[in-house]
Amino acid sequence: GTASVFVGHPLDTIKTRLQAGQGYGNTLNCLLTVYRNESVAGFFKGMSFPLASIAVYSSVVFGVFSNTQRLFSQLRHGDPSRTPGLADVALASVAAGFVSVGIGTPIDLVKIRLQMQTQPYTKVNIKPKPNVPGFPVYRGPIHCFRTVLQQEGIAGIYRGAGAMVLRDVPGYCLYFIPYTVLCDWTTPDGCISPNASSVWLAGGVAGAISWATATPMDVVKSRLQADGVYLNKYKGTLDCILQSYQNEGLKVFFRGITVNTVRGFPVSSATFLGYELSLKAMKRDQTETNP
């Protein structure tokens, strides 16, 4: 999980600015603008909170996915170690998606607020908060979390949760299923587990597919969670979808799709590779300790 944050956060910042910011045009222009105005540090804004919490987040999501598969194998075949079918993988992915929303929504909210707090806002018929755009509102992740909790309550911390459910539940299905299928396909007969190159390729392709298809709801989630730094523009998920479509057309929901897809490959490769190699290392230690 930690590896995935280091690999993916700069592109995540670009993706968030494209989806929820104003005046960037395209990916290259956004990248150059961030670098020109905020230097290299601008690409790593909001990284400390995901970095500190990603271990718990990844452990729970992958743990729920793996243990749900084992549960289904036990219920269906009486053997938890039996290879699950695609239906079991799909159900386990859905369970992982729901759990990820409960843990990931506050993490994403803080990350996006920190990424977006230096951005100018577009004038709308809503009175802005008494903060000056272009100057930081939050001093850091803890201050951001505490401020949102005090000003907006629990509902504020979980702002965008509905959009995240619509993104993550199908998104995790298109994450774990392609990974499982590709690993099976690229693993030679007779091998118990996939090798590192198979994991790297399958994880990268799965991440690219998942993030590309999740982009429309990712745009909605980013806008909902960025909303509130200087003003409150959206009443909820449906209102955000309608306002975005009315103001910017259908193309708005595909903002950042290139960055999402490109970023999805190395991030997911790092995630799955770290996961599989960690499991192998722990299993080897267990074998050595308990022959």
Side-chain angles (χ1 to χ4, degrees):
T2 302
S4 72
V5 174
F6 276 115
V7 169
H9 195 81
L11 284 174
D12 184 72
T13 298
I14 297 299
K15 180 263 298 182
T16 302
R17 295 285 180 90
L18 284 169
Q19 290 178 342
Q22 300 290 334
Y24 287 114
N26 55 43
T27 302
L28 180 60
N29 182 53
C30 181
L31 189 150
L32 294 174
T33 301
V34 173
Y35 178 75
R36 187 165 52 247
N37 295 339
E38 303 168 56
S39 77
V40 174
F43 296 106
F44 293 93
K45 280 189 174 178
M47 190 178 78
S48 59
F49 194 54
L51 196 61
S53 55
I54 195 68
V56 175
Y57 177 81
S58 295
S59 297
V60 172
V61 170
F62 275 78
V64 167
F65 173 72
S66 299
N67 285 294
T68 303
Q69 286 187 115
R70 281 193 277 272
L71 175 62
F72 286 136
S73 293
Q74 175 68 44
L75 293 174
R76 290 178 188 272
H77 311 292
D79 181 9
S81 63
R82 182 162 176 169
T83 302
L86 282 182
D88 295 339
V89 174
L91 290 172
S93 301
V94 170
F98 275 110
V99 169
S100 76
V101 173
I103 302 172
T105 302
I107 295 172
D108 271 15
L109 179 93
V110 171
K111 172 180 69 69
I112 286 174
R113 290 287 177 96
L114 291 173
Q115 287 173 326
M116 294 300 299
Q117 65 174 339
T118 58
Q119 299 308 290
Y121 63 85
T122 303
K123 292 182 180 180
V124 293
N125 296 323
I126 302 172
K127 185 179 179 180
K129 294 180 178 180
N131 300 107
V132 180
F135 293 89
V137 178
Y138 311 113
R139 295 191 293 270
I142 302 301
H143 180 251
C144 177
F145 185 89
R146 188 170 63 244
T147 301
V148 173
L149 189 62
Q150 290 173 347
Q151 294 181 354
E152 304 174 46
I154 296 295
I157 291 297
Y158 279 89
R159 185 172 178 81
M164 198 164 179
V165 168
L166 295 174
R167 184 196 75 173
D168 280 10
V169 171
Y172 271 111
C173 288
L174 292 172
Y175 187 60
F176 286 117
I177 292 175
Y179 173 75
T180 302
V181 171
L182 285 169
C183 273
D184 289 342
W185 184 55
T186 55
T187 301
D189 293 337
C191 291
I192 298 173
S193 59
N195 57 39
S197 59
S198 295
V199 171
W200 177 84
L201 178 62
V205 172
I209 292 171
S210 177
W211 276 108
T213 53
T215 295
M217 290 315 302
D218 191 47
V219 171
V220 176
K221 183 196 74 72
S222 293
R223 290 188 162 209
L224 282 168
Q225 292 185 324
D227 189 39
V229 178
Y230 300 111
L231 50 83
N232 287 306
K233 183 179 179 182
Y234 307 115
K235 297 176 183 177
T237 302
L238 182 59
D239 183 52
C240 180
I241 292 171
L242 293 174
Q243 283 198 49
S244 297
Y245 176 73
Q246 289 170 356
N247 295 332
E248 300 169 69
L250 190 63
K251 65 181 181 180
V252 69
F253 299 109
F254 297 93
R255 274 191 183 180
I257 189 169
T258 302
V259 178
N260 256 349
T261 306
V262 171
R263 168 180 163 271
F265 194 101
V267 167
S268 297
S269 292
T271 301
F272 278 107
L273 200 56
Y275 173 69
E276 296 287 0
L277 292 178
S278 297
L279 282 181
K280 284 184 180 180
M282 287 185 284
K283 287 177 180 177
R284 185 170 59 248
D285 289 344
Q286 289 170 2
T287 303
E288 292 171 357
T289 306
N290 303 303

